[in-house]
Amino acid sequence: MMPLLQKSKTAARDWLQGIDTALLRTVAAAAALCMLLAHGFAFTNLFPNHDSTVLVFDAQWTMYVLGRWAQNLYFPLVRGKIAAPWLIGAFSIVYLTLTSYCITSLLHLKKWSAALLTGLLGTCASVTAQLATYTYETDAYLLAMLLACAAVWCTERLPRLWGYLGAAVCLCGCLALYQSYI
């Protein structure tokens, strides 16, 4: 058992040392800046729509259908059954940062192009539309985008069988959160 634990520890340490921290800091700063500049108002004000009232008034979560079954897991386990704009914004920025890091590391982009890509992702039409209409689900949808990108990362960076298995799990999670990101 000890050799297996030592091997796992070494593999985890090597993987963590492979993270480009300078690139991660760059995309994190770009994500925070673009999201706060573009969507800061939405992160500080609650504008409930017809669906977000479910988070307050419906204990059964009846609005979720087959296409979004993982939201029944995500909301209670990760964010809670609340529609706090600042918390949604914080999770959205983290997911955007990780998505940008995944894409820029796969494409071997430089810092300036990574920051530009992050800004474009953070202000794209789908993110802006979510924050204008369905704010309470924005973080879940950005997690779905992260999982879609992570599927590509798995196929490119992991050994063949593990890469395909990881990609399948990521795509299933992506589809279960928000099916349009496939």
Side-chain angles (χ1 to χ4, degrees), residues 12-117:
R13 185 187 67 228
D14 291 345
W15 182 79
L16 286 172
Q17 288 175 343
I19 293 174
D20 184 351
T21 55
L23 180 62
L24 185 58
R25 279 194 301 272
T26 300
V27 296
L33 182 67
C34 81
M35 292 292 275
L36 290 175
L37 288 176
H39 310 297
F41 188 77
F43 293 161
T44 56
N45 296 282
L46 179 61
F47 298 103
N49 63 25
H50 61 283
D51 284 342
S52 66
T53 56
V54 168
L55 295 175
V56 178
F57 300 111
D58 184 8
Q60 276 76 42
W61 296 60
T62 56
M63 69 166 275
Y64 298 116
V65 293
L66 292 176
R68 295 186 233 166
W69 61 267
Q71 289 183 13
N72 286 329
L73 302 172
Y74 175 80
F75 288 122
L77 294 174
V78 177
R79 180 165 43 94
K81 195 174 174 181
I82 57 172
W86 66 270
L87 188 59
I88 293 166
F91 278 116
S92 297
I93 290 170
V94 168
Y95 297 146
L96 179 68
T97 298
L98 296 174
T99 300
S100 295
Y101 180 79
C102 182
I103 293 170
T104 55
S105 67
L106 283 171
L107 297 176
H108 305 288
L109 299 177
K110 294 181 166 62
K111 286 184 188 180
W112 67 268
S113 53
L116 178 62
L117 172 75

